Amino acid sequence: MPLGCSGETTCHEAKLDKVDEVADTEDVSVQEDASGGCRSEERSVAAIEAFGHSSVRAAYSELGATGFYEVHGAEYRNPHSDELTAAMRISLDTWTARGFLPPLQRVLDLACGSGEASIALLAWVQEQPEVADLDVQAADPFTYEAYARRTGREASRWSFEDVAGGVLDGMEALDMIMCSFCLHLLDKSWLSLTLSALARVSRTLLVATPHKRPIIDARTGWEQLDEVVHSRVRIRLYKSSLI
């Protein structure tokens, strides 16, 4: 069971109870989609197509946390995929213009779902002639099959527990780790340990979240460089102080 989730629920299972919460957009530069009023209906349609329910929350309520991933883990898709893709494109363009991104050669998509963040990054890279030979790795103990099917790439089965336990230690330094719609679910007692493990192996950390959470303390080895908000998705960039 990944770290930070209590009882019998896993971090990915806990997403189902949290993913529809509204992000607070105070005190940040917000780039909002003019068609935002239609997004709720579009997300419901996406959930029906993916899970056969009116919403991800409804699927969770009917099947239970463990049951949902036993049935749907191999076909999981984040119903907020379109918003995430747009938010990542805007963020990466912004950070490139500001000189915040290191040269990208080695990236890890952690808790990768069905590859939403990987696909968005790879699509953006195709328009960046200065980025060549990008190696995108991925890990997710529940949706690795969905990731492989959608992206054509294999995913490791590492959990946050594995990360906190040092599974990444000794790895060749990464240029970026992406954590999409997952870190805000970690218990505070485990968050620092996990973040410190990530800071030891990656130069930057991209966090996508529908909340102000997680609050990432500089003592974990991460300094926040910027935040972009689009369609209620927050994309934050952090720089490691340990590499």
Side-chain angles (χ1 to χ4, degrees):
M1 177 173 64
L3 289 176
C5 300
S6 59
E8 297 182 354
T9 61
T10 67
C11 286
H12 275 290
E13 291 160 349
K15 286 183 184 178
L16 302 174
D17 196 38
K18 296 291 185 180
V19 72
D20 289 329
E21 293 183 17
V22 175
D24 183 350
T25 56
E26 294 180 356
D27 304 324
V28 293
S29 176
V30 179
Q31 303 188 46
E32 196 64 64
D33 191 328
S35 62
C38 300
R39 291 300 182 186
S40 178
E41 180 179 352
E42 292 173 359
R43 284 194 292 267
S44 292
V45 170
I48 292 170
E49 292 175 349
F51 310 121
H53 298 80
S54 60
S55 68
V56 178
R57 188 187 298 272
Y60 174 71
S61 297
E62 179 177 330
L63 299 174
T66 300
F68 177 86
Y69 274 95
E70 288 177 347
V71 175
H72 296 299
E75 61 191 38
Y76 175 78
R77 284 204 183 188
N78 186 337
H80 300 263
S81 179
D82 290 345
E83 292 91 334
L84 175 63
T85 297
M88 282 192 58
R89 177 180 293 274
I90 292 169
S91 300
L92 293 167
D93 283 342
T94 299
W95 299 335
T96 297
R98 296 179 181 177
F100 288 161
L101 289 179
L104 295 179
Q105 292 185 314
R106 289 172 46 80
V107 174
L108 173 63
D109 187 354
L110 185 61
C112 60
S114 62
E116 292 81 12
S118 291
I119 291 169
L121 175 64
L122 290 166
W124 177 81
V125 164
Q126 289 181 355
E127 301 175 2
Q128 314 302 315
E130 69 278 9
V131 179
D133 300 323
L134 177 64
D135 177 20
V136 177
Q137 303 175 54
D140 194 302
F142 302 105
T143 64
Y144 58 91
E145 291 178 295
Y147 183 90
R149 185 178 299 112
R150 188 177 183 191
T151 67
R153 297 166 175 265
E154 296 299 317
S156 299
R157 303 186 189 185
W158 303 327
S159 66
F160 286 119
E161 181 176 18
D162 296 326
V163 171
V167 71
L168 302 181
D169 291 352
M171 175 182 288
E172 181 181 348
L174 297 160
D175 300 307
M176 177 184 288
I177 292 176
M178 302 186 295
C179 292
S180 174
F181 281 63
C182 56
L183 281 182
H184 66 287
L185 300 170
L186 285 174
D187 289 341
K188 291 181 180 180
S189 59
W190 289 111
L191 183 62
S192 294
L193 184 61
T194 303
L195 288 170
S196 294
L198 297 179
R200 293 194 298 269
V201 298
S202 182
R203 295 179 178 86
T204 59
L205 173 68
L206 182 154
V207 176
T209 176
H211 305 283
K212 283 189 172 180
R213 301 189 307 276
I215 303 301
I216 296 182
D217 194 302
R219 290 173 294 183
T220 64
W222 293 108
E223 172 193 354
Q224 183 171 328
L225 297 179
D226 198 22
E227 178 180 53
V228 173
V229 179
H230 177 77
S231 294
R232 300 189 296 185
V233 175
R234 293 172 176 264
I235 311 288
R236 299 180 185 136
L237 182 67
Y238 298 84
K239 179 181 179 181
S240 174
S241 62
L242 302 183
I243 293 182

